[in-house]
Amino acid sequence: MAQGCLKCLKYTMCVANLLCFICGAVVLGFGVYMTLNFKFAALTPTLASFNLANMLLISGIVITCVSFLGFLGALKENRCLLLTYFLLLFILMLVELTAACLLLVYEKEIGELVKKDLVNGLKVANNPNATDTNVERDWDVVQKKLQCCGVNNETDWKPKPPLSCCAADCDLPKPQYWKKGCLITLQNFFEDNFLTTGISVIVLCIIEVLGMCFAMTLFCHISRSGLGYKL
């Protein structure tokens, strides 16, 4: 009975980690796609290293590596791999919780950094002698995607807003522009998704705790029975 339960646990770990490996590969591929097609380093240089594309790339690499260790360790009943898998999951959980706490503590400071970058980027885009076209391109993409205009509203643009600010009657002499600024739109977006992000972090931590429990159970069983590869 115990052997049957442990075999079930072993193959459950294999299947779960294989699925995680596939998901990690998909996340990694999506991160590469976003890196090639969505570049906002010119618009928010302060946070350029922490954009969504970089986060997806890092997450994809970490997920694929850790899940591969878990799959191989469970399949081969390798105590060294299982222990490494356990430690990596524990470190990942600590990093996730630390990052979540830092975001809560420094939420206002991060908001100020984003505002400063947007204001500076708008100054460059408003400068008729500016040679950096990347800032203008980034502003056009952000304003079209978020349906916003300027940092606070359309009056931020001088002498008039670009076409990406247009909401209706774009062909008329006096088109209608988006009323909301991009700063408040971004703030509302993060506030609306704050609960979802918190729930996702909690669920992820629960999955990691279960993975650690399964790995340690297999590790202890292999150690007691003398099966599998030695440390």
Side-chain angles (χ1 to χ4, degrees):
M1 182 66 180
Q3 290 291 332
C5 291
L6 287 168
K7 280 188 177 181
C8 180
L9 180 62
K10 169 184 173 179
Y11 291 114
T12 300
M13 273 194 68
C14 289
V15 173
N17 281 286
L18 180 61
L19 293 175
C20 288
F21 182 86
I22 295 173
C23 292
V26 172
V27 171
L28 180 60
F30 191 58
V32 173
Y33 172 78
M34 289 196 67
T35 301
L36 296 176
N37 294 278
F38 299 95
K39 299 177 181 179
F40 302 108
L43 187 58
T44 55
T46 305
L47 302 178
S49 301
F50 303 96
N51 59 31
L52 182 58
N54 290 339
M55 293 299 180
L56 288 175
L57 283 174
I58 296 172
S59 300
I61 293 171
V62 171
I63 291 171
T64 51
C65 293
V66 174
S67 58
F68 178 75
L69 281 177
F71 173 81
L72 196 61
L75 184 65
K76 297 294 185 179
E77 295 186 1
N78 188 312
R79 291 188 295 166
C80 181
L81 291 179
L82 287 172
L83 185 60
T84 304
Y85 176 72
F86 174 88
L87 293 175
L88 286 176
L89 282 182
F90 181 72
I91 293 171
L92 279 176
M93 186 174 65
L94 291 181
V95 170
E96 290 161 5
L97 293 175
T98 302
C101 293
L102 289 175
L103 286 175
L104 285 174
V105 173
Y106 295 103
E107 181 182 0
K108 292 183 179 179
E109 286 78 0
I110 295 173
E112 290 298 323
L113 287 175
V114 173
K115 182 178 180 180
K116 181 180 178 181
D117 282 342
L118 290 177
V119 171
N120 291 335
L122 190 63
K123 288 180 180 178
V124 174
N126 270 327
N127 186 0
N129 299 320
T131 58
D132 190 357
T133 58
N134 291 329
V135 176
E136 297 180 9
R137 181 203 63 194
D138 289 355
W139 266 111
D140 288 337
V141 173
V142 169
Q143 290 176 151
K144 286 179 181 178
K145 294 292 184 181
L146 299 180
Q147 297 183 349
C148 58
C149 187
V151 178
N152 300 303
N153 50 53
E154 71 273 11
T155 60
D156 293 333
W157 288 99
K158 305 294 182 184
K160 66 176 184 178
L163 289 177
S164 57
C165 277
C166 182
D169 302 329
C170 298
D171 297 329
L172 297 180
K174 292 184 179 181
Q176 297 181 18
Y177 299 113
W178 302 113
K179 299 300 181 183
K180 283 188 177 181
C182 293
L183 180 62
I184 188 65
T185 304
L186 285 171
Q187 289 175 344
N188 291 337
F189 174 80
F190 285 113
E191 288 175 0
D192 293 341
N193 292 275
F194 183 78
L195 180 60
T196 304
T197 304
I199 294 174
S200 301
V201 172
I202 294 173
V203 171
L204 188 59
C205 288
I206 292 174
I207 293 173
E208 288 168 349
V209 169
L210 289 175
M212 288 190 291
C213 292
F214 290 169
M216 190 51 60
T217 302
L218 278 176
F219 177 86
C220 294
H221 168 68
I222 295 169
S223 298
R224 286 198 304 267
S225 60
L227 300 175
Y229 294 99
K230 303 296 182 181
L231 277 171

